[in-house]
């Protein structure tokens, strides 16, 4: 996923999140980056606490 590469180069401790279109389920990849679908991001207030 090309969106993740720039996030891996940031050397801070903030949570890294990629919001994607479509209905794929929310998950964390092997690097700990949260991949979140747009519907969960907009409609679930606690979606960033995954």
């Amino acid at each position: 996923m090309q969106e993740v590469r720039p996030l891996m180069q940031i050397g801070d401790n903030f949570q890294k999140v990629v919001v994607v279109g479509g209905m794929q389920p929310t998950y964390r990849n092997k690097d700990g980056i949260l991949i979140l679908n747009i519907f969960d991001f907009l409609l679930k207030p606690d979606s960033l606490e995954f």
Side-chain angles (χ1 to χ4, degrees):
M1 178 178 270
Q2 69 185 17
E3 296 86 359
V4 173
R5 192 173 337 126
L7 291 176
M8 294 305 302
Q9 297 174 354
I10 299 173
D12 61 18
N13 291 325
F14 289 104
Q15 179 177 341
K16 293 165 178 59
V17 178
V18 176
V19 178
V20 296
M23 293 296 295
Q24 74 181 50
T26 297
Y27 67 96
R28 285 199 184 273
N29 72 0
K30 62 181 170 88
D31 298 311
I33 297 174
L34 179 62
I35 311 299
L36 184 64
N37 72 52
I38 188 71
F39 300 107
D40 287 345
F41 179 72
L42 293 174
L43 299 174
K44 294 182 179 177
D46 61 343
S47 63
L48 294 177
E49 297 173 10
F50 181 80

